[in-house]
Amino acid sequence: MPGRNPTIIVVGSVNLDLVARVSRLPAPGETVTGAELGRYPGGKGANQALAARRLGADVSLHARVGADANAEEALALLRADGVDLSDCSVDPDAATGVALICVAPSGENQIVVAPGANRTLRPEMLDLPWGDALICQLEVPAETIRKAADDFDGFFCVNLAPAMPVPSEILKRADLIVVNETEAAFYGDLLNEGEALVAVTHGAQGAHLQMGGKELASARPPAVEAVDATGAGDTFTAALTVALVEKQAHQDALAFACAAGACATTKQGAQPSLPYREEVESILITYSPVRTGSNKDSGNENVS
Ligand code: RIB
């Protein structure tokens, strides 16, 4: 794509993340006290939009927030980095989405989401512009994602998170599906029924890319000091989409996405930690992303 940035459309959620840093994650029924509280912009859609923007794409976010003070706080970093929010509408009757997040010293987290206005992003509200790629996740209604996928002509990435049943048309339409190991187990063979590339993330162990059940590439992330994994999967999703749209080879695209995801674990909060392109490219120079035993092709024949 010489001479211009990729154009990425994101249809998805906006949340304000209320983050409690705890000495350990609570068990069911247990109270853990002594936490430090932070507030950060988040939501999978918003995180993926901002990650794609910081990695060099022109991005518009199609989303819904409430008519409350949390909305401006949730949108602040998107605005600051130039994500187009002109199709981000306000629901006067709903609250902006809120995520309650506990983060342990290891960086592991637990998340509960109160979706609020994300739930009222209806299919008829979408009027998507042209773009190279569309990215969706599952924090807004599935029928809205389906409409977006049907209407859009370009490369379609769906991040099946959080895992829940979805219309099969979404999976069939996808060019790229991104899941973590838990989500991969939830969807099972459904992931391999269409012709999508499927990226499966394995946390600190990296990720692999498969199609029709056959592994195409595998990469490990750089060693980093992880303090908060929130937003790492969103960064991986955005980075992989950007790299594939740029026609990077599968192995290179996966390494780029793993490095970007790792960078996103090194700071507190979802959006403050999303890396800029220079940071990812400089870290890529310093480590070998190939996982032991990987002998995969480096083609990128699937992106038109
Ligand atoms: O993927 C991380 C995001 O999930 C958080 O920012 C939180 O808002 C939840 O939606």
PDB file of all heavy atoms in Angstrom, residues 13-17 40-45 47-48 97-101 109 111-113 139 159 161-162 229-234 269-271, ligand 1:
ATOM      1  N   SER A  13     -17.380  -1.494  20.818  1.00  0.00           N
ATOM      2  CA  SER A  13     -17.736  -0.937  22.129  1.00  0.00           C
ATOM      3  C   SER A  13     -16.802   0.176  22.591  1.00  0.00           C
ATOM      4  O   SER A  13     -15.634   0.231  22.224  1.00  0.00           O
ATOM      5  CB  SER A  13     -17.673  -2.061  23.167  1.00  0.00           C
ATOM      6  OG  SER A  13     -16.380  -2.653  23.125  1.00  0.00           O
ATOM      7  N   VAL A  14     -17.380   1.028  23.433  1.00  0.00           N
ATOM      8  CA  VAL A  14     -16.611   2.037  24.178  1.00  0.00           C
ATOM      9  C   VAL A  14     -16.948   1.841  25.647  1.00  0.00           C
ATOM     10  O   VAL A  14     -18.126   1.803  26.020  1.00  0.00           O
ATOM     11  CB  VAL A  14     -17.013   3.461  23.754  1.00  0.00           C
ATOM     12  CG1 VAL A  14     -16.334   4.497  24.642  1.00  0.00           C
ATOM     13  CG2 VAL A  14     -16.683   3.712  22.290  1.00  0.00           C
ATOM     14  N   ASN A  15     -15.945   1.698  26.488  1.00  0.00           N
ATOM     15  CA  ASN A  15     -16.160   1.590  27.934  1.00  0.00           C
ATOM     16  C   ASN A  15     -15.252   2.544  28.683  1.00  0.00           C
ATOM     17  O   ASN A  15     -14.181   2.914  28.185  1.00  0.00           O
ATOM     18  CB  ASN A  15     -15.818   0.179  28.445  1.00  0.00           C
ATOM     19  CG  ASN A  15     -16.768  -0.890  27.948  1.00  0.00           C
ATOM     20  OD1 ASN A  15     -17.929  -0.614  27.667  1.00  0.00           O
ATOM     21  ND2 ASN A  15     -16.274  -2.108  27.844  1.00  0.00           N
ATOM     22  N   LEU A  16     -15.657   2.885  29.877  1.00  0.00           N
ATOM     23  CA  LEU A  16     -14.717   3.464  30.829  1.00  0.00           C
ATOM     24  C   LEU A  16     -14.316   2.326  31.762  1.00  0.00           C
ATOM     25  O   LEU A  16     -15.177   1.656  32.335  1.00  0.00           O
ATOM     26  CB  LEU A  16     -15.365   4.604  31.616  1.00  0.00           C
ATOM     27  CG  LEU A  16     -14.380   5.305  32.551  1.00  0.00           C
ATOM     28  CD1 LEU A  16     -13.303   6.058  31.768  1.00  0.00           C
ATOM     29  CD2 LEU A  16     -15.101   6.274  33.475  1.00  0.00           C
ATOM     30  N   ASP A  17     -13.006   2.080  31.862  1.00  0.00           N
ATOM     31  CA  ASP A  17     -12.514   0.971  32.697  1.00  0.00           C
ATOM     32  C   ASP A  17     -12.207   1.475  34.102  1.00  0.00           C
ATOM     33  O   ASP A  17     -11.410   2.418  34.277  1.00  0.00           O
ATOM     34  CB  ASP A  17     -11.231   0.383  32.090  1.00  0.00           C
ATOM     35  CG  ASP A  17     -11.482  -0.356  30.780  1.00  0.00           C
ATOM     36  OD1 ASP A  17     -12.660  -0.535  30.402  1.00  0.00           O
ATOM     37  OD2 ASP A  17     -10.484  -0.752  30.143  1.00  0.00           O
ATOM     38  N   TYR A  40      -9.531   4.414  33.275  1.00  0.00           N
ATOM     39  CA  TYR A  40      -8.874   4.477  31.965  1.00  0.00           C
ATOM     40  C   TYR A  40      -9.904   4.305  30.859  1.00  0.00           C
ATOM     41  O   TYR A  40     -10.833   3.490  30.990  1.00  0.00           O
ATOM     42  CB  TYR A  40      -7.847   3.349  31.809  1.00  0.00           C
ATOM     43  CG  TYR A  40      -6.811   3.296  32.895  1.00  0.00           C
ATOM     44  CD1 TYR A  40      -6.949   2.408  33.960  1.00  0.00           C
ATOM     45  CD2 TYR A  40      -5.696   4.125  32.866  1.00  0.00           C
ATOM     46  CE1 TYR A  40      -6.001   2.342  34.966  1.00  0.00           C
ATOM     47  CE2 TYR A  40      -4.735   4.070  33.871  1.00  0.00           C
ATOM     48  CZ  TYR A  40      -4.907   3.178  34.918  1.00  0.00           C
ATOM     49  OH  TYR A  40      -3.966   3.112  35.920  1.00  0.00           O
ATOM     50  N   PRO A  41      -9.713   4.962  29.716  1.00  0.00           N
ATOM     51  CA  PRO A  41     -10.559   4.664  28.553  1.00  0.00           C
ATOM     52  C   PRO A  41     -10.339   3.225  28.110  1.00  0.00           C
ATOM     53  O   PRO A  41      -9.204   2.739  28.120  1.00  0.00           O
ATOM     54  CB  PRO A  41     -10.051   5.640  27.483  1.00  0.00           C
ATOM     55  CG  PRO A  41      -9.300   6.686  28.212  1.00  0.00           C
ATOM     56  CD  PRO A  41      -8.737   6.029  29.440  1.00  0.00           C
ATOM     57  N   GLY A  42     -11.426   2.536  27.735  1.00  0.00           N
ATOM     58  CA  GLY A  42     -11.302   1.142  27.297  1.00  0.00           C
ATOM     59  C   GLY A  42     -12.472   0.741  26.419  1.00  0.00           C
ATOM     60  O   GLY A  42     -13.104   1.586  25.760  1.00  0.00           O
ATOM     61  N   GLY A  43     -12.770  -0.541  26.432  1.00  0.00           N
ATOM     62  CA  GLY A  43     -13.779  -1.116  25.523  1.00  0.00           C
ATOM     63  C   GLY A  43     -13.045  -1.725  24.341  1.00  0.00           C
ATOM     64  O   GLY A  43     -12.144  -1.086  23.778  1.00  0.00           O
ATOM     65  N   LYS A  44     -13.429  -2.935  23.958  1.00  0.00           N
ATOM     66  CA  LYS A  44     -12.664  -3.623  22.912  1.00  0.00           C
ATOM     67  C   LYS A  44     -12.666  -2.858  21.587  1.00  0.00           C
ATOM     68  O   LYS A  44     -11.650  -2.776  20.909  1.00  0.00           O
ATOM     69  CB  LYS A  44     -13.209  -5.037  22.713  1.00  0.00           C
ATOM     70  CG  LYS A  44     -12.974  -5.934  23.920  1.00  0.00           C
ATOM     71  CD  LYS A  44     -13.419  -7.348  23.679  1.00  0.00           C
ATOM     72  CE  LYS A  44     -13.454  -8.125  24.996  1.00  0.00           C
ATOM     73  NZ  LYS A  44     -12.166  -8.174  25.706  1.00  0.00           N
ATOM     74  N   GLY A  45     -13.816  -2.312  21.224  1.00  0.00           N
ATOM     75  CA  GLY A  45     -13.876  -1.569  19.965  1.00  0.00           C
ATOM     76  C   GLY A  45     -12.976  -0.350  19.999  1.00  0.00           C
ATOM     77  O   GLY A  45     -12.174  -0.105  19.080  1.00  0.00           O
ATOM     78  N   ASN A  47     -10.468   0.257  22.003  1.00  0.00           N
ATOM     79  CA  ASN A  47      -9.055  -0.128  22.110  1.00  0.00           C
ATOM     80  C   ASN A  47      -8.498  -0.521  20.738  1.00  0.00           C
ATOM     81  O   ASN A  47      -7.376  -0.151  20.377  1.00  0.00           O
ATOM     82  CB  ASN A  47      -8.885  -1.321  23.063  1.00  0.00           C
ATOM     83  CG  ASN A  47      -9.281  -1.003  24.498  1.00  0.00           C
ATOM     84  OD1 ASN A  47      -9.433   0.156  24.869  1.00  0.00           O
ATOM     85  ND2 ASN A  47      -9.472  -2.035  25.306  1.00  0.00           N
ATOM     86  N   GLN A  48      -9.281  -1.287  19.990  1.00  0.00           N
ATOM     87  CA  GLN A  48      -8.793  -1.725  18.676  1.00  0.00           C
ATOM     88  C   GLN A  48      -8.681  -0.553  17.717  1.00  0.00           C
ATOM     89  O   GLN A  48      -7.742  -0.474  16.912  1.00  0.00           O
ATOM     90  CB  GLN A  48      -9.705  -2.840  18.131  1.00  0.00           C
ATOM     91  CG  GLN A  48      -9.562  -4.106  18.973  1.00  0.00           C
ATOM     92  CD  GLN A  48     -10.500  -5.234  18.623  1.00  0.00           C
ATOM     93  OE1 GLN A  48     -11.117  -5.227  17.564  1.00  0.00           O
ATOM     94  NE2 GLN A  48     -10.607  -6.212  19.511  1.00  0.00           N
ATOM     95  N   GLY A  97     -20.817   2.553  28.602  1.00  0.00           N
ATOM     96  CA  GLY A  97     -20.358   1.258  29.101  1.00  0.00           C
ATOM     97  C   GLY A  97     -19.264   1.412  30.144  1.00  0.00           C
ATOM     98  O   GLY A  97     -18.424   2.315  30.054  1.00  0.00           O
ATOM     99  N   VAL A  98     -19.302   0.544  31.125  1.00  0.00           N
ATOM    100  CA  VAL A  98     -18.280   0.547  32.187  1.00  0.00           C
ATOM    101  C   VAL A  98     -17.750  -0.871  32.343  1.00  0.00           C
ATOM    102  O   VAL A  98     -18.530  -1.830  32.334  1.00  0.00           O
ATOM    103  CB  VAL A  98     -18.871   1.044  33.529  1.00  0.00           C
ATOM    104  CG1 VAL A  98     -17.884   0.824  34.676  1.00  0.00           C
ATOM    105  CG2 VAL A  98     -19.249   2.524  33.440  1.00  0.00           C
ATOM    106  N   ALA A  99     -16.441  -1.002  32.472  1.00  0.00           N
ATOM    107  CA  ALA A  99     -15.840  -2.308  32.768  1.00  0.00           C
ATOM    108  C   ALA A  99     -15.193  -2.241  34.144  1.00  0.00           C
ATOM    109  O   ALA A  99     -14.443  -1.298  34.438  1.00  0.00           O
ATOM    110  CB  ALA A  99     -14.799  -2.664  31.711  1.00  0.00           C
ATOM    111  N   LEU A 100     -15.523  -3.204  34.992  1.00  0.00           N
ATOM    112  CA  LEU A 100     -14.915  -3.321  36.321  1.00  0.00           C
ATOM    113  C   LEU A 100     -13.805  -4.357  36.210  1.00  0.00           C
ATOM    114  O   LEU A 100     -14.069  -5.519  35.878  1.00  0.00           O
ATOM    115  CB  LEU A 100     -15.964  -3.771  37.337  1.00  0.00           C
ATOM    116  CG  LEU A 100     -17.224  -2.892  37.395  1.00  0.00           C
ATOM    117  CD1 LEU A 100     -18.259  -3.511  38.331  1.00  0.00           C
ATOM    118  CD2 LEU A 100     -16.864  -1.483  37.845  1.00  0.00           C
ATOM    119  N   ILE A 101     -12.577  -3.923  36.442  1.00  0.00           N
ATOM    120  CA  ILE A 101     -11.424  -4.789  36.150  1.00  0.00           C
ATOM    121  C   ILE A 101     -10.559  -4.934  37.399  1.00  0.00           C
ATOM    122  O   ILE A 101     -10.214  -3.936  38.046  1.00  0.00           O
ATOM    123  CB  ILE A 101     -10.576  -4.188  35.001  1.00  0.00           C
ATOM    124  CG1 ILE A 101     -11.457  -3.974  33.762  1.00  0.00           C
ATOM    125  CG2 ILE A 101      -9.383  -5.085  34.680  1.00  0.00           C
ATOM    126  CD1 ILE A 101     -10.734  -3.378  32.570  1.00  0.00           C
ATOM    127  N   ASN A 109      -5.836 -10.519  34.688  1.00  0.00           N
ATOM    128  CA  ASN A 109      -6.990  -9.706  35.088  1.00  0.00           C
ATOM    129  C   ASN A 109      -8.273 -10.520  35.134  1.00  0.00           C
ATOM    130  O   ASN A 109      -8.340 -11.654  34.660  1.00  0.00           O
ATOM    131  CB  ASN A 109      -7.130  -8.480  34.163  1.00  0.00           C
ATOM    132  CG  ASN A 109      -7.377  -8.873  32.708  1.00  0.00           C
ATOM    133  OD1 ASN A 109      -7.944  -9.907  32.411  1.00  0.00           O
ATOM    134  ND2 ASN A 109      -6.932  -8.023  31.793  1.00  0.00           N
ATOM    135  N   ILE A 111     -12.493  -9.370  34.371  1.00  0.00           N
ATOM    136  CA  ILE A 111     -13.263  -8.227  33.873  1.00  0.00           C
ATOM    137  C   ILE A 111     -14.748  -8.527  33.912  1.00  0.00           C
ATOM    138  O   ILE A 111     -15.182  -9.608  33.502  1.00  0.00           O
ATOM    139  CB  ILE A 111     -12.857  -7.881  32.409  1.00  0.00           C
ATOM    140  CG1 ILE A 111     -11.345  -7.627  32.308  1.00  0.00           C
ATOM    141  CG2 ILE A 111     -13.639  -6.674  31.909  1.00  0.00           C
ATOM    142  CD1 ILE A 111     -10.860  -7.254  30.913  1.00  0.00           C
ATOM    143  N   VAL A 112     -15.520  -7.560  34.413  1.00  0.00           N
ATOM    144  CA  VAL A 112     -16.980  -7.613  34.327  1.00  0.00           C
ATOM    145  C   VAL A 112     -17.421  -6.348  33.599  1.00  0.00           C
ATOM    146  O   VAL A 112     -16.983  -5.244  33.957  1.00  0.00           O
ATOM    147  CB  VAL A 112     -17.635  -7.644  35.726  1.00  0.00           C
ATOM    148  CG1 VAL A 112     -19.151  -7.554  35.612  1.00  0.00           C
ATOM    149  CG2 VAL A 112     -17.230  -8.907  36.475  1.00  0.00           C
ATOM    150  N   VAL A 113     -18.268  -6.494  32.574  1.00  0.00           N
ATOM    151  CA  VAL A 113     -18.680  -5.333  31.777  1.00  0.00           C
ATOM    152  C   VAL A 113     -20.165  -5.038  31.979  1.00  0.00           C
ATOM    153  O   VAL A 113     -20.996  -5.957  31.922  1.00  0.00           O
ATOM    154  CB  VAL A 113     -18.390  -5.569  30.281  1.00  0.00           C
ATOM    155  CG1 VAL A 113     -18.904  -4.402  29.435  1.00  0.00           C
ATOM    156  CG2 VAL A 113     -16.900  -5.772  30.042  1.00  0.00           C
ATOM    157  N   GLU A 139     -18.801  -7.060  21.790  1.00  0.00           N
ATOM    158  CA  GLU A 139     -19.353  -6.287  22.911  1.00  0.00           C
ATOM    159  C   GLU A 139     -20.502  -5.373  22.468  1.00  0.00           C
ATOM    160  O   GLU A 139     -20.968  -4.559  23.256  1.00  0.00           O
ATOM    161  CB  GLU A 139     -18.262  -5.461  23.601  1.00  0.00           C
ATOM    162  CG  GLU A 139     -17.331  -6.314  24.438  1.00  0.00           C
ATOM    163  CD  GLU A 139     -16.365  -5.502  25.282  1.00  0.00           C
ATOM    164  OE1 GLU A 139     -15.950  -4.401  24.845  1.00  0.00           O
ATOM    165  OE2 GLU A 139     -16.010  -5.975  26.368  1.00  0.00           O
ATOM    166  N   ASN A 159     -13.009 -10.327  15.968  1.00  0.00           N
ATOM    167  CA  ASN A 159     -12.395 -10.813  17.207  1.00  0.00           C
ATOM    168  C   ASN A 159     -13.544 -11.375  18.053  1.00  0.00           C
ATOM    169  O   ASN A 159     -14.388 -10.621  18.521  1.00  0.00           O
ATOM    170  CB  ASN A 159     -11.709  -9.617  17.890  1.00  0.00           C
ATOM    171  CG  ASN A 159     -11.181  -9.926  19.273  1.00  0.00           C
ATOM    172  OD1 ASN A 159     -11.117  -9.040  20.113  1.00  0.00           O
ATOM    173  ND2 ASN A 159     -10.775 -11.136  19.515  1.00  0.00           N
ATOM    174  N   ALA A 161     -14.615 -12.056  20.851  1.00  0.00           N
ATOM    175  CA  ALA A 161     -14.448 -11.807  22.284  1.00  0.00           C
ATOM    176  C   ALA A 161     -15.438 -10.727  22.734  1.00  0.00           C
ATOM    177  O   ALA A 161     -15.583  -9.727  22.047  1.00  0.00           O
ATOM    178  CB  ALA A 161     -13.022 -11.330  22.567  1.00  0.00           C
ATOM    179  N   PRO A 162     -16.105 -10.957  23.884  1.00  0.00           N
ATOM    180  CA  PRO A 162     -16.086 -12.180  24.671  1.00  0.00           C
ATOM    181  C   PRO A 162     -16.847 -13.297  23.954  1.00  0.00           C
ATOM    182  O   PRO A 162     -17.769 -13.016  23.183  1.00  0.00           O
ATOM    183  CB  PRO A 162     -16.788 -11.775  25.969  1.00  0.00           C
ATOM    184  CG  PRO A 162     -17.660 -10.617  25.588  1.00  0.00           C
ATOM    185  CD  PRO A 162     -16.979  -9.910  24.473  1.00  0.00           C
ATOM    186  N   ALA A 229      -2.308  -6.847  31.458  1.00  0.00           N
ATOM    187  CA  ALA A 229      -2.580  -7.434  30.132  1.00  0.00           C
ATOM    188  C   ALA A 229      -3.828  -6.850  29.476  1.00  0.00           C
ATOM    189  O   ALA A 229      -4.146  -7.201  28.337  1.00  0.00           O
ATOM    190  CB  ALA A 229      -2.736  -8.947  30.266  1.00  0.00           C
ATOM    191  N   THR A 230      -4.542  -5.949  30.154  1.00  0.00           N
ATOM    192  CA  THR A 230      -5.779  -5.411  29.579  1.00  0.00           C
ATOM    193  C   THR A 230      -5.472  -4.684  28.267  1.00  0.00           C
ATOM    194  O   THR A 230      -4.628  -3.794  28.234  1.00  0.00           O
ATOM    195  CB  THR A 230      -6.447  -4.418  30.563  1.00  0.00           C
ATOM    196  OG1 THR A 230      -6.459  -4.991  31.858  1.00  0.00           O
ATOM    197  CG2 THR A 230      -7.856  -4.080  30.122  1.00  0.00           C
ATOM    198  N   GLY A 231      -6.142  -5.066  27.210  1.00  0.00           N
ATOM    199  CA  GLY A 231      -5.945  -4.400  25.918  1.00  0.00           C
ATOM    200  C   GLY A 231      -4.907  -5.084  25.044  1.00  0.00           C
ATOM    201  O   GLY A 231      -4.757  -4.724  23.867  1.00  0.00           O
ATOM    202  N   ALA A 232      -4.203  -6.080  25.568  1.00  0.00           N
ATOM    203  CA  ALA A 232      -3.161  -6.743  24.757  1.00  0.00           C
ATOM    204  C   ALA A 232      -3.791  -7.495  23.580  1.00  0.00           C
ATOM    205  O   ALA A 232      -3.294  -7.430  22.450  1.00  0.00           O
ATOM    206  CB  ALA A 232      -2.346  -7.696  25.624  1.00  0.00           C
ATOM    207  N   GLY A 233      -4.898  -8.191  23.835  1.00  0.00           N
ATOM    208  CA  GLY A 233      -5.578  -8.911  22.750  1.00  0.00           C
ATOM    209  C   GLY A 233      -6.146  -7.949  21.716  1.00  0.00           C
ATOM    210  O   GLY A 233      -6.143  -8.239  20.508  1.00  0.00           O
ATOM    211  N   ASP A 234      -6.626  -6.813  22.173  1.00  0.00           N
ATOM    212  CA  ASP A 234      -7.154  -5.803  21.240  1.00  0.00           C
ATOM    213  C   ASP A 234      -6.030  -5.257  20.358  1.00  0.00           C
ATOM    214  O   ASP A 234      -6.204  -5.042  19.157  1.00  0.00           O
ATOM    215  CB  ASP A 234      -7.810  -4.656  22.016  1.00  0.00           C
ATOM    216  CG  ASP A 234      -8.976  -5.144  22.860  1.00  0.00           C
ATOM    217  OD1 ASP A 234      -9.670  -6.084  22.421  1.00  0.00           O
ATOM    218  OD2 ASP A 234      -9.193  -4.595  23.954  1.00  0.00           O
ATOM    219  N   GLY A 269      -3.495   0.095  32.495  1.00  0.00           N
ATOM    220  CA  GLY A 269      -4.672   0.563  31.774  1.00  0.00           C
ATOM    221  C   GLY A 269      -4.665   0.105  30.331  1.00  0.00           C
ATOM    222  O   GLY A 269      -3.605  -0.179  29.758  1.00  0.00           O
ATOM    223  N   ALA A 270      -5.854   0.033  29.732  1.00  0.00           N
ATOM    224  CA  ALA A 270      -5.947  -0.425  28.344  1.00  0.00           C
ATOM    225  C   ALA A 270      -5.335   0.612  27.400  1.00  0.00           C
ATOM    226  O   ALA A 270      -4.267   0.395  26.824  1.00  0.00           O
ATOM    227  CB  ALA A 270      -7.404  -0.708  27.982  1.00  0.00           C
ATOM    228  N   GLN A 271      -5.972   1.748  27.245  1.00  0.00           N
ATOM    229  CA  GLN A 271      -5.541   2.661  26.175  1.00  0.00           C
ATOM    230  C   GLN A 271      -4.223   3.384  26.426  1.00  0.00           C
ATOM    231  O   GLN A 271      -3.464   3.598  25.478  1.00  0.00           O
ATOM    232  CB  GLN A 271      -6.673   3.622  25.831  1.00  0.00           C
ATOM    233  CG  GLN A 271      -7.814   2.863  25.149  1.00  0.00           C
ATOM    234  CD  GLN A 271      -8.937   3.732  24.677  1.00  0.00           C
ATOM    235  OE1 GLN A 271      -8.799   4.942  24.519  1.00  0.00           O
ATOM    236  NE2 GLN A 271     -10.089   3.112  24.463  1.00  0.00           N
TER     237      GLN A 271
HETATM  238  O1  RIB B   1     -10.196  -6.141  25.968  1.00  0.00           O
HETATM  239  C1  RIB B   1     -10.079  -5.284  27.072  1.00  0.00           C
HETATM  240  C2  RIB B   1     -11.342  -4.506  27.278  1.00  0.00           C
HETATM  241  O2  RIB B   1     -12.380  -5.388  27.610  1.00  0.00           O
HETATM  242  C3  RIB B   1     -11.283  -3.518  28.414  1.00  0.00           C
HETATM  243  O3  RIB B   1     -10.791  -2.259  28.023  1.00  0.00           O
HETATM  244  C4  RIB B   1     -12.691  -3.493  28.934  1.00  0.00           C
HETATM  245  O4  RIB B   1     -13.370  -2.319  28.658  1.00  0.00           O
HETATM  246  C5  RIB B   1     -13.374  -4.701  28.308  1.00  0.00           C
HETATM  247  O5  RIB B   1     -14.307  -4.335  27.407  1.00  0.00           O
END
